Amino acid sequence: MIKKPMMFGMIASLWSFGLILIWTQNPLLQGFLFILVTTLSIVTALTLNERYQKRETWHQEQLEYRLSKTQEAEEKTHEQLDTLVETLSSGFMLLDYEGVFTMANKAARDLLQKLTVKQETIQDLKASKPLYEAIYQSFIAEKPQRHQVRLGDLTYDIQTSPLFQAKLFMGLIVIMSDITQLKRAEQFQKQFTADVTHELKTPLSAILGSAELMLRHTHMTKSEHDEFLDTIFKEAKRLEKLIADLLIISKMDRIDYELKKTTVSMPDLIKECTETSQSWFANKGLAFTELSEAADLLIDKDKVRQVILNLLRNAAHYTDQGSVQLKGYIEGAFYRIDVSDTGIGIAKSEHENIFKRFYRVDEARSRDSGGSGLGLSIIKNVVLKHQGKIEVTSERAQGSTFSVWFPLPAPSHR
Ligand code: ADP
């Protein structure tokens, strides 16, 4: 095939030859010039042709290089996408238009394996009825759907979405997300709201009932009158305490809640608390002793004061005779505070429950104390927020010891 530069060379030599013929009459010179011009033209044409071919090859190489780079980038994107899908915490599956599994990531494979479901066709899902129903409905209807299903002890959100190509059903995408924690939190919140409503209603009903009786019975004796007034006062106080504790809880439940930490001398703080609580023990004729080892801690002083006071208040309230003792001392990397009493004690089976919100072992006694049933749950929350811990040692009628641990500052900060 004659390339473009070769053509130019030939045309140029023909033109040159024509011009020479017109310009000179000497046949010898004509012959010589003809050979010269033709040779030059051919050499020029060949040189141009070689250059042209080199450029062509260079262009082709460039194209091939770019193509390979694009392919490489595409393969990399594919690989990244595969890794992303494979490592997703949600289960991801693809079914084709015949209901055959074409893909399932690790989370999906693990879940199906746990449910002892094979992963070949949609029919295999029958081994787990709720999962099969959630997916099959969408597959048959060729419509996106969303279901919340219980799979074993977990709750899953199943999202399905059909795939179409030129309006033709090609298959189904299935995404399965574990929402157990979310459901638990939702349930916990619902229960808490119900408990709060109940707790608020009880003192409010007592206040309203007493006030109504006082209004209706105008000829009450002084002692009857005082009794109703006393109830109103006590229940209003309880309401006040409940609302105050609820406010503390709602503040501490916030994600952005932060302790206001300062360096605090523990013997000083303990002394402050024992001074406040002296009268609680004295009023009940209980002996009280306190012993505290020197240490400076980086803590939220107000919150830790609340912890110590709450433990002392409970000890006073749930002890009818004997004594209460407070001991503060260094134990390993912690400062430990023990509040021990010789009171009614707590059965072992209740130990876990008493730290739950509104849980009371002895409902009547707790109400009588004006307690909200939130004290220990607040204490536990404060202690955990300080990276500490809390434990109870107790038996029914054997007294109780509540122990809290707060971390000591790192040696370089002491
Ligand atoms: P409350 O306001 O009812 O005292 P808390 O959360 O402080 O609420 O305590 C929860 C429950 O734990 C109490 O109702 C009580 O039954 C039990 N309890 C707490 N401290 C003591 C204690 N020192 N001795 C015996 N029982 C206790």
Side-chain angles (χ1 to χ4, degrees):
M1 195 174 111
I2 301 170
K3 303 271 182 196
K4 260 195 227 161
M6 192 90 135
M7 289 269 288
F8 286 139
M10 282 172 153
I11 292 165
S13 67
L14 281 172
W15 270 95
S16 312
F17 179 59
L19 284 172
I20 289 163
L21 283 181
I22 295 162
W23 178 64
T24 176
Q25 299 301 315
N26 184 340
L28 206 67
L29 194 60
Q30 275 181 343
F32 172 70
L33 284 173
F34 172 71
I35 291 167
L36 186 70
V37 167
T38 311
T39 313
L40 277 174
S41 302
I42 289 171
V43 168
T44 314
L46 283 173
T47 314
L48 282 173
N49 189 44
E50 195 186 324
R51 261 198 222 161
Y52 173 81
Q53 266 181 351
K54 264 191 193 159
R55 227 181 40 216
E56 283 262 285
T57 320
W58 183 80
H59 271 301
Q60 195 143 353
E61 276 172 5
Q62 280 286 308
L63 260 175
E64 275 167 16
Y65 176 75
R66 278 193 210 144
L67 201 69
S68 80
K69 279 281 158 205
T70 318
Q71 271 171 350
E72 240 174 62
E74 229 171 71
E75 271 166 26
K76 206 168 168 191
T77 314
H78 257 283
E79 237 172 67
Q80 282 171 341
L81 213 68
D82 280 352
T83 317
L84 186 82
V85 172
E86 179 66 9
T87 53
L88 270 180
S89 59
S90 294
F92 185 89
M93 307 193 296
L94 274 178
L95 293 165
D96 71 6
Y97 65 98
E98 286 179 312
V100 175
F101 278 87
T102 52
M103 196 229 143
N105 72 350
K106 182 169 181 328
R109 292 194 304 271
D110 287 351
L111 176 66
L112 295 184
Q113 201 176 358
K114 199 172 138 196
L115 299 168
T116 56
V117 171
K118 279 201 281 169
Q119 300 150 38
E120 279 159 28
T121 74
I122 196 166
Q123 298 304 325
D124 293 332
L125 297 176
K126 277 183 180 163
S128 167
K129 205 169 167 237
L131 184 64
Y132 174 72
E133 277 170 4
I135 296 174
Y136 192 70
Q137 278 176 30
S138 174
F139 183 78
I140 289 298
E142 297 179 8
K143 284 204 169 94
Q145 285 187 5
R146 196 165 186 170
H147 300 269
Q148 280 185 8
V149 293
R150 281 283 301 165
L151 300 176
D153 51 352
L154 302 175
T155 310
Y156 273 84
D157 175 58
I158 312 275
Q159 258 180 287
T160 49
S161 182
L163 282 171
F164 291 101
Q165 211 170 49
K167 293 189 178 172
L168 224 67
F169 178 65
M170 298 301 290
L172 198 70
I173 300 177
V174 183
I175 300 171
M176 305 174 291
S177 313
D178 181 357
I179 53 163
T180 317
Q181 295 281 10
L182 211 73
K183 280 268 141 198
R184 252 182 229 150
E186 197 182 293
Q187 188 53 39
F188 178 78
Q189 199 56 44
K190 272 187 196 159
Q191 185 59 46
F192 184 61
T193 312
D195 289 344
V196 169
T197 316
H198 173 77
E199 294 290 332
L200 287 172
K201 249 176 102 176
T202 317
L204 206 59
S205 304
I207 292 170
L208 283 173
S210 301
E212 206 178 325
L213 279 170
M214 285 172 84
L215 281 171
R216 266 207 231 134
H217 301 282
T218 42
H219 303 298
M220 254 180 204
T221 63
K222 167 102 174 67
S223 76
E224 280 172 335
H225 182 270
D226 286 353
E227 204 180 303
F228 284 121
L229 255 187
D230 188 50
T231 307
I232 291 174
F233 181 73
K234 268 193 189 152
E235 294 298 325
K237 272 272 177 214
R238 219 152 70 82
L239 213 53
E240 188 189 32
K241 168 99 173 76
L242 183 63
I243 291 166
D245 282 353
L246 283 172
L247 276 174
I248 295 172
I249 283 187
S250 78
K251 262 193 206 160
M252 290 182 71
D253 274 353
R254 283 173 56 164
I255 296 175
D256 59 353
Y257 178 82
E258 270 180 36
L259 295 169
K260 295 185 186 82
K261 284 187 182 175
T262 52
T263 303
V264 177
S265 151
M266 287 313 281
D268 289 354
L269 181 62
I270 289 173
K271 187 124 258 114
E272 231 183 82
C273 295
T274 54
E275 275 167 17
T276 310
S277 58
Q278 281 296 335
S279 61
W280 305 339
F281 307 114
N283 288 346
K284 290 186 83 174
L286 299 170
F288 177 70
T289 50
E290 174 255 306
L291 205 77
S292 55
E293 190 177 343
D296 287 343
L297 260 63
L298 193 63
I299 48 171
D300 186 322
K301 191 176 178 183
D302 287 342
K303 289 279 166 290
V304 176
R305 184 192 291 115
Q306 231 166 5
V307 167
I308 301 171
L309 283 176
N310 266 337
L311 290 177
L312 289 173
R313 190 181 282 118
N314 277 351
H317 184 71
Y318 296 102
T319 308
D320 297 326
Q321 52 187 338
S323 62
V324 174
Q325 193 187 46
L326 188 156
K327 258 198 319 183
Y329 54 101
I330 293 170
E331 188 183 75
F334 291 88
Y335 194 84
R336 174 173 175 170
I337 302 169
D338 290 341
V339 176
S340 311
D341 63 55
T342 54
I344 60 168
I346 306 159
K348 274 224 160 60
S349 57
E350 303 280 10
H351 286 192
E352 217 179 291
N353 294 331
I354 55 170
F355 296 101
K356 291 180 184 160
R357 292 173 181 182
F358 297 119
Y359 191 87
R360 297 165 175 115
V361 181
D362 184 341
E363 185 88 8
R365 202 185 250 259
S366 165
R367 286 195 185 286
D368 188 38
S369 74
S372 63
L374 293 169
L376 284 177
S377 71
I378 293 176
I379 292 176
K380 187 173 175 182
N381 203 334
V382 172
V383 171
L384 293 182
K385 280 206 162 51
H386 278 87
Q387 269 77 52
K389 58 176 178 168
I390 181 162
E391 269 175 27
V392 59
T393 317
S394 185
E395 288 279 359
R396 199 194 294 271
Q398 302 282 311
S400 314
T401 297
F402 281 87
S403 308
V404 286
W405 285 260
F406 291 101
L408 290 168
S412 56
H413 294 101
R414 279 181 210 165

